[in-house]
Amino acid sequence: MFLLISPINNDEALESIEGGADIVDVKNPKEGSLGANFPWVIKNIREITPDNILVSATLGDVPYKPGTVSLAACGALNSGADYIKVGLYGTSNYNEALEVMENVVKTVKHENSKAIVVASGYADAHRVGAVSPWEIPKIAKDSGSDLAMLDTAVKDGKTLFDYLNIDDLEKFVDEIHSYGLKSALAGSVKKEQLKPLYDIGCDVVGVRGAACVGGDRNSGKIHRSAVAELKSLLNSFK
């Protein structure tokens, strides 16, 4: 299971890298769960990140505006991201989400066929009126995305496990794998929740809060010791 750590700037990116992150995921929590950061931040982080580590960029908790989102995807890709994450926040159903993702995939793959496109839904979609998490695997498959992900939309102390139990998450992962795609799970995931996610075959686990000093994704800062502890824990499961 790969460890994805979400820094907001160069300093945090370096801490993530030194701690052993497999994927450096550039985001901006001020703009939401999958808030987008600025192009120059993505570019700077790509420049300081070793070539063997993927750099991910979130496009934001996006609206149902396929053209706008596709343009954002192109911007993230040209800023150096290898891994493009789309938070399907403003799409209320399968058809809207599919339209957004199809156009993102077309945009990204035309520029770089090796880039990874992630369709990301929310375990707490009912709280924000977003497309159901159970639609995400099929949306990823039908759009040509590479990976399907779940996060939480509202960051109020609740975790992924407050909305879906381990059997639900295993069902989600199994469906994604049946399509030949990879899975990612995030949502204020805590250290003690890593083993259950590993056991169900999750491919990527996304973390910010647990990698921050004090465990706070907003006021805390990512530190290499916290990242290294998470990475060591994942390695112990093998």
Side-chain angles (χ1 to χ4, degrees):
M1 185 163 70
F2 290 115
L3 178 63
L4 178 150
I5 302 291
S6 300
I8 63 173
N9 54 38
N10 276 24
D11 289 343
E12 287 195 340
L14 286 171
E15 293 293 317
S16 302
I17 293 163
E18 291 299 322
D22 299 300
I23 303 169
V24 176
D25 176 53
V26 189
K27 68 165 54 173
N28 178 11
K30 291 180 179 178
E31 294 194 4
S33 171
L34 294 173
N37 215 315
F38 299 98
W40 56 87
V41 175
I42 300 169
K43 183 178 180 181
N44 289 342
I45 289 177
R46 177 66 275 180
E47 288 175 350
I48 64 172
T49 302
D51 291 341
N52 65 324
I53 298 178
L54 289 175
V55 170
S56 165
T58 56
L59 301 188
D61 295 320
V62 308
Y64 172 46
K65 293 185 177 181
T68 298
V69 182
S70 296
L71 192 59
C74 190
L77 190 66
N78 285 301
S79 298
D82 313 286
Y83 192 103
I84 309 295
K85 284 168 59 180
V86 184
L88 295 166
Y89 189 97
T91 58
S92 60
N93 56 54
Y94 167 85
N95 289 332
E96 290 181 357
L98 180 64
E99 185 181 357
V100 169
M101 290 311 307
E102 281 181 330
N103 284 285
V104 168
V105 170
K106 181 177 180 179
T107 299
V108 170
K109 298 298 184 179
H110 180 266
E111 295 289 326
N112 180 0
S113 62
K114 295 181 179 180
I116 297 167
V117 180
V118 183
S120 184
Y122 305 92
D124 57 345
H126 62 282
R127 300 182 74 183
V128 297
V131 60
S132 166
W134 296 112
E135 299 277 17
I136 300 302
K138 192 167 186 299
I139 290 164
K141 174 180 75 77
D142 292 348
S143 65
S145 299
D146 302 287
L147 194 146
M149 179 176 185
L150 285 183
D151 203 324
T152 50
V154 182
K155 300 298 184 182
D156 59 357
K158 292 185 178 179
T159 78
L160 179 69
F161 286 84
D162 286 305
Y163 304 102
L164 298 172
N165 62 37
I166 196 64
D167 291 335
D168 293 329
L169 295 171
E170 184 172 24
K171 178 181 174 184
F172 180 87
V173 169
D174 286 348
E175 182 178 354
I176 295 165
H177 287 168
S178 76
Y179 299 143
L181 306 180
K182 300 293 187 182
S183 63
L185 295 170
S188 301
V189 172
K190 301 189 182 304
K191 188 167 58 176
E192 61 270 19
Q193 296 170 335
L194 294 177
K195 184 62 163 63
L197 296 183
Y198 179 88
D199 288 342
I200 63 171
C202 176
D203 299 291
V204 180
V205 62
V207 176
R208 176 169 171 81
C212 287
V213 176
D216 191 311
R217 73 187 296 271
N218 295 313
S219 62
K221 292 183 179 180
I222 290 173
H223 193 275
R224 66 188 66 190
S225 62
V227 177
E229 184 179 358
L230 294 171
K231 183 63 177 176
S232 177
L233 190 57
L234 291 185
N235 287 337
S236 75
F237 302 152
K238 297 177 181 178

